[in-house]
Amino acid sequence: MSVSVEARGQHDTVVEGLRTTIKRFHASGEKFRIRHGSTNSTRQTATKGQNFVDTGSLSNILEVNKVQKTCLVEPNVPMDQLVNSTLAYGLVPLVVMEFPGITVGGGFSGTSAESSSFKYGVFDRNINYIEMILANGDVVHCSEDENPDLFHGAAGAMGTLGVVTLLEVQLMPATTYVHLSYHPVTGVADATGTLEALTEDNSIDYLDGILFSKNQGAIIVGRLSNECAEDGKMPKFSKAKDPWFYLHVQDRISETPNGTSTETILLAEYLFRYDRGAFWAARWAFDYFMTPFNSVTRRVLDGLMHTRVLYKAQDASSFSATQYFAQDLAVPFPQVGELIDYATRTCNIWPLWLCPLKPSPHPTINPFPASGHGASEMLLNVGIWGPAPTKRQDEFVEINRGFEEKLRTLSGMKALYAHTFYTEDEFWRVYDREWYDALREKYGAGSLPSVYDKVKGSAVARKTIKDRVRDVRPLGGAHGLIKAMRYRYSSEYRRIIRDSPV
């Protein structure tokens, strides 16, 4: 699949329209933000009355190059569309975000660490080059060789240095299957020790872990394979009748608590295995609506349990404001035990997701070791997602601030998609302000919000009457449910499901 003249012309026309809008804002000295039409953030951001540049139409794949093993893609292409297109050529991205609706641009501009990140780093480390419109309307190309400071700086900077309009994604040969092995672990130390040792095994393609409690967990190892299981049995996780993946893993280690169990599944099933239930976050929706959580109810409500639909519900409800704790916290391996002990005392949320992360060697907003950029120290991302231990707004803020302070003492960093309550001074004690401000000055990004401007909006604002009504159970959840159902049965969602690779 080569770039057609028509596709390239359509892309250039859209970019020229965006340039015109941005130049107008620049000439009048007006600030603006980027609107791209979808988000997987749990932050609340005030955007009323602001100028926007709408990149929603940049949602096409221009080329899959089988020889070079690359894909030329616009930023609003979601993961499932990308995977569906590349698999047709026997290729797959090196890092694939587990939620199919996360976009290529979101993966580059945010922080996306997945089960292959121990090997390849976060998603943006597997981009060859980007096309970007600067805040003055100039179009530039950025790569290791051309504007490398901007190329590395824009990764994880949440669209605060320019508007990304095109990306070349690295690909690798795909296989039909993934051979999985489930290693039972008996606690935090066992889990972290096992994970750290396995990061040295070059034969492994995918590696993550689930801690179901302080005393039970599983390390999940994946190896690409073209060999089907000998008995022909392959579990699936994408249909209503199928189990949620994390429950399946718990069943497997319960059956073999003293030994490793193995199985083979389709590659596409593996890549989006956590879509249904959003890992396990959706289980608390059952509690909220006082609905039994079992295989029957999960099957009946399956249409509402996929991440695209769940995010629509979240955006329309009050869950993410003060009722739901969601953080991804990356710390060096020796500090993981102390972080989890603190999380247990503070929130006591289980399960936890464990994802080893190879940090970037370049300056970035993404998590990096305390020893500095360029260090080879592996980090472990701990995903903590569940009901907040309080419904009080002030206590919710203090809990999050407590985690931010704890991270500082543990030489850790957080993913900025989530609630963030740093003061500006605290924020820039974590991140390199001198480097970041120099980049913004060099490339004229003053018309765009800074990265702190983007995340500080997640602080819980004073609640309106509408917000207070939504806080009343189950009114807020019901409002989100209605929005989710409308989206679930929309023509847009039906088209997405039709084109899904699983």
Side-chain angles (χ1 to χ4, degrees):
M1 174 187 176
S2 59
V3 182
S4 69
V5 174
E6 181 181 0
R8 187 74 211 201
Q10 180 182 353
H11 171 81
D12 291 343
T13 297
V14 173
V15 170
E16 187 58 36
L18 294 173
R19 286 188 67 202
T20 300
T21 302
I22 291 170
K23 284 182 175 180
R24 186 174 72 248
F25 289 145
H26 179 71
S28 61
E30 295 180 80
K31 293 184 178 296
F32 68 93
R33 288 178 177 247
I34 303 167
R35 175 183 288 147
H36 43 78
S38 65
T39 180
N40 281 17
S41 172
T42 59
R43 288 180 286 106
Q44 288 189 315
T45 305
T47 57
K48 187 175 181 180
Q50 298 188 25
N51 296 317
F52 285 95
V53 170
D54 191 341
T55 63
S57 60
L58 290 172
S59 57
N60 298 298
I61 296 174
L62 272 62
E63 177 188 41
V64 178
N65 190 316
K66 191 170 183 178
V67 175
Q68 298 295 326
K69 297 185 179 65
T70 59
C71 182
L72 195 59
V73 57
E74 292 178 330
N76 277 339
V77 170
M79 282 297 104
D80 52 359
Q81 181 185 343
L82 178 65
V83 168
N84 201 33
S85 296
T86 61
L87 283 181
Y89 294 85
L91 300 167
V92 68
L94 281 67
V95 175
V96 176
M97 287 75 90
E98 278 99 341
F99 292 176
I102 298 177
T103 62
V104 173
F108 177 82
S109 297
T111 301
S112 296
E114 311 304 340
S115 62
S116 59
S117 290
F118 79 100
K119 200 167 191 174
Y120 302 112
V122 293
F123 179 76
D124 63 70
R125 294 292 302 135
N126 304 284
I127 302 297
N128 288 333
Y129 76 82
I130 60 172
E131 176 188 81
M132 175 184 280
I133 308 175
L134 301 180
N136 65 0
D138 291 346
V139 175
V140 297
H141 290 82
C142 308
S143 67
E144 294 282 357
D145 302 316
E146 192 174 3
N147 301 310
D149 55 348
L150 182 57
F151 178 59
H152 298 301
M158 303 175 69
T160 61
L161 296 174
V163 182
V164 176
T165 54
L166 194 66
L167 309 93
E168 186 177 83
V169 181
Q170 297 174 24
L171 307 174
M172 64 180 179
T175 58
T176 304
Y177 310 105
V178 176
H179 182 73
L180 293 179
S181 56
Y182 305 105
H183 303 256
V185 290
T186 56
V188 176
D190 190 9
T192 56
T194 302
L195 275 172
E196 190 168 22
L198 289 171
T199 61
E200 302 294 328
D201 187 340
N202 291 327
S203 73
I204 295 174
D205 297 296
Y206 302 105
L207 178 64
D208 67 333
I210 302 172
L211 277 177
F212 297 98
S213 69
K214 290 187 70 173
N215 303 312
Q216 184 193 48
I219 304 305
I220 306 158
V221 173
R223 291 180 172 89
L224 292 166
S225 173
N226 280 313
E227 295 183 7
C228 184
E230 292 183 4
D231 59 7
K233 294 180 180 180
M234 280 193 301
K236 294 185 177 182
F237 308 103
S238 56
K239 306 302 181 185
K241 64 181 180 180
D242 301 331
W244 289 9
F245 181 72
Y246 90 96
L247 294 172
H248 175 77
V249 173
Q250 191 169 29
D251 287 343
R252 291 303 301 258
I253 63 169
S254 297
E255 293 166 1
T256 57
N258 299 314
T260 300
S261 63
T262 63
E263 63 188 1
T264 301
I265 68 173
L266 290 168
L267 174 60
E269 289 280 346
Y270 174 81
L271 295 176
F272 301 120
R273 65 202 180 282
Y274 289 119
D275 177 43
R276 292 170 61 244
F279 283 86
W280 40 80
R283 63 178 287 184
W284 288 284
F286 289 79
D287 294 339
Y288 179 89
F289 287 107
M290 295 173 284
T291 302
F293 183 73
N294 55 49
S295 59
V296 175
T297 55
R298 288 194 297 273
R299 183 167 185 170
V300 170
L301 297 172
D302 182 72
L304 301 174
M305 294 295 113
H306 295 253
T307 49
R308 275 190 173 95
V309 180
L310 288 167
Y311 274 109
K312 292 292 182 181
Q314 172 196 277
D315 292 344
S317 71
S318 61
F319 283 156
S320 65
T322 56
Q323 299 183 43
Y324 196 80
F325 184 90
Q327 298 285 350
D328 277 271
L329 312 173
V331 295
F333 269 86
Q335 277 69 56
V336 173
E338 187 174 345
L339 173 63
I340 293 179
D341 283 345
Y342 179 82
T344 302
R345 294 193 307 270
T346 306
C347 294
N348 199 33
I349 292 171
W350 302 95
L352 303 177
W353 188 51
L354 307 178
C355 180
L357 167 61
K358 181 180 180 181
S360 171
H362 305 286
T364 176
I365 297 295
N366 285 323
F368 57 85
S371 49
H373 296 292
S376 59
E377 182 180 14
M378 189 79 69
L379 301 176
L380 186 64
N381 180 79
V382 180
I384 309 174
W385 317 304
T390 180
K391 298 296 186 290
R392 288 186 52 178
Q393 187 173 357
D394 57 342
E395 292 178 351
F396 180 80
V397 171
E398 287 307 308
I399 288 169
N400 279 272
R401 284 185 56 76
F403 271 93
E404 290 167 356
E405 175 59 21
K406 189 63 178 178
L407 270 184
R408 186 189 65 79
T409 66
L410 297 177
S411 303
M413 301 179 76
K414 64 189 291 182
L416 295 177
Y417 74 84
H419 289 103
T420 303
F421 297 99
Y422 294 111
T423 66
E424 189 164 8
D425 286 341
E426 289 168 344
F427 184 84
W428 292 117
R429 284 202 292 269
V430 176
Y431 301 96
D432 188 341
R433 185 170 197 167
E434 184 177 353
W435 158 78
Y436 177 75
D437 284 350
L439 267 184
R440 282 175 61 83
E441 177 69 23
K442 179 178 179 179
Y443 291 101
S447 298
L448 287 160
S450 73
V451 68
Y452 179 73
D453 291 333
K454 291 288 291 285
V455 303
K456 73 177 182 180
S458 65
V460 178
R462 181 177 299 174
K463 292 191 175 184
T464 64
I465 294 176
K466 184 177 181 181
D467 292 331
R468 293 182 184 278
V469 170
R470 288 185 183 178
D471 277 350
V472 178
R473 183 178 179 178
L475 296 181
H479 180 71
L481 179 62
I482 291 169
K483 291 284 188 179
M485 291 181 69
R486 287 177 178 172
Y487 176 69
R488 167 66 180 82
Y489 294 104
S490 67
S491 58
E492 175 190 356
Y493 189 73
R494 287 198 298 271
R495 175 187 58 77
I496 290 169
I497 294 301
R498 181 194 67 209
D499 297 336
S500 172
V502 292

